[in-house]
Amino acid sequence: MSDKPATSWKATVLTLFPAMFPGALGMSLLGKALDKELWSLEVRDIRGHGLGKHRTVDDTPAGGGPGMVMRADVAAAAIDAVERVGRPLIYLTPRGVPLTQARVKALAEGPGAVLLCGRFEGLDERVIAARNVEEVSIGDFVLAGGEIAAQALIEATVRLLPGVLGDAASPAEESFSVGLLEYPQFTRPQSFEGRDIPQVLTNGNHREITKWRHAEAERLTRVRRPDLWTLYEKDKG
Ligand code: SAM
């Protein structure tokens, strides 16, 4: 009998910089899970679909303006060469829908994802419409390319796959999983530069500990993330 898992979550990355992969994804628990084939990574060079002797992938923006734009025909050829079999096609872009833990969880429950990494000023709009591309942002800031964003999305997703974290952590209580930020964590030593671990965490009363952690999670969310707090309160009814 094979000791390989029956199913393997698969990420395909379309990029102009294949050497950036696996990058951070090859380290620590994710790297070990990659070796164990709990997930797989396929990296494809968009340049392979470039045009002419110079394998050109970009051109000047229609209507003028700074920078270059990735050509629709080149991006479409790179996309069409991938066997997607039920996997969503995601373009990482600051204009996209912000990535959330809920979307990450849904991705982890599926067969994988195909991730298109932009460069330059971005991607010709027509290929986004023509290939029904989902646009996802990892935050309200602008990176130089989609590769780090793709790695962030893959890392957040793969760590939720069965067997990847082992006993190292429980995603169930983490920030965002119940609509709140996580409560503060402490470990030894008992006293650090005059600051002690809150007494409630050291008395072994699990009911009190759970109550304190929940109150802290609510307090932090209310203060730091009013947007999440409003949603949480609405959900509570
Ligand atoms: N001109 C684009 C704009 O203003 O929206 C920014 C292009 S950025 C310099 C180049 C590429 O980096 C994008 O095509 C995208 O793939 C990636 N990128 C940059 N910021 C990102 C973010 N916050 N989330 C996801 N991808 C991002």
Side-chain angles (χ1 to χ4, degrees):
M1 211 175 80
S2 163
D3 57 1
K4 279 187 191 168
T7 57
S8 178
W9 194 88
K10 180 172 176 179
T12 297
V13 179
L14 308 177
T15 172
L16 286 169
F17 295 96
M20 288 178 76
F21 291 86
L25 303 172
M27 305 285 168
S28 188
L29 292 171
L30 266 81
K32 283 187 189 138
L34 191 54
D35 291 342
K36 284 202 255 172
E37 297 182 32
L38 293 177
W39 68 289
S40 62
L41 177 64
E42 174 187 37
V43 182
R44 298 212 174 184
D45 191 347
I46 298 171
R47 181 86 49 197
H49 299 275
L51 306 173
K53 196 167 73 164
H54 298 293
R55 297 259 171 228
T56 303
V57 298
D58 57 337
D59 213 323
T60 52
M68 301 294 273
V69 176
M70 194 182 293
R71 291 177 59 117
D73 47 0
V74 172
I79 291 166
D80 294 346
V82 175
E83 216 178 309
R84 276 171 56 192
V85 279
R87 293 182 295 157
L89 170 61
I90 296 173
Y91 168 48
L92 285 312
T93 165
R95 289 185 351 186
V97 174
L99 186 62
T100 61
Q101 192 64 15
R103 183 69 188 111
V104 162
K105 193 163 171 283
L107 285 171
E109 285 161 3
V114 178
L115 305 170
L116 176 59
C117 303
R119 282 276 157 176
F120 325 117
E121 290 308 320
L123 183 58
D124 187 308
E125 190 70 23
R126 292 168 295 177
V127 77
I128 298 173
R131 293 296 180 275
N132 198 17
V133 179
E134 176 181 345
E135 296 179 80
V136 170
S137 164
I138 66 157
D140 291 346
F141 44 80
V142 180
L143 299 164
E147 289 76 11
I148 300 283
Q151 289 190 18
L153 182 151
I154 294 170
E155 176 162 324
T157 306
V158 166
R159 66 189 288 284
L160 298 184
L161 299 176
V164 172
L165 293 186
D167 292 333
S170 154
E173 286 196 6
E174 284 177 335
S175 294
F176 313 115
S177 52
V178 289
L180 294 172
L181 301 179
E182 194 184 57
Y183 48 78
Q185 300 275 13
F186 301 87
T187 186
R188 291 187 184 86
Q190 163 63 31
S191 188
F192 168 70
E193 296 183 354
R195 295 162 196 263
D196 291 343
I197 295 176
Q199 219 202 334
V200 62
L201 299 179
T202 61
N203 66 13
N205 184 332
H206 293 291
R207 228 161 110 115
E208 286 298 307
I209 291 171
T210 303
K211 221 169 100 183
W212 181 86
R213 284 180 167 165
H214 187 71
E216 281 296 290
E218 287 197 335
R219 180 184 65 79
L220 284 173
T221 309
R222 198 171 52 241
V223 172
R224 294 185 184 174
R225 292 293 300 272
D227 55 329
L228 291 182
W229 180 249
T230 305
L231 285 177
Y232 174 74
E233 285 213 298
K234 213 165 101 195
D235 275 1
K236 270 203 316 189

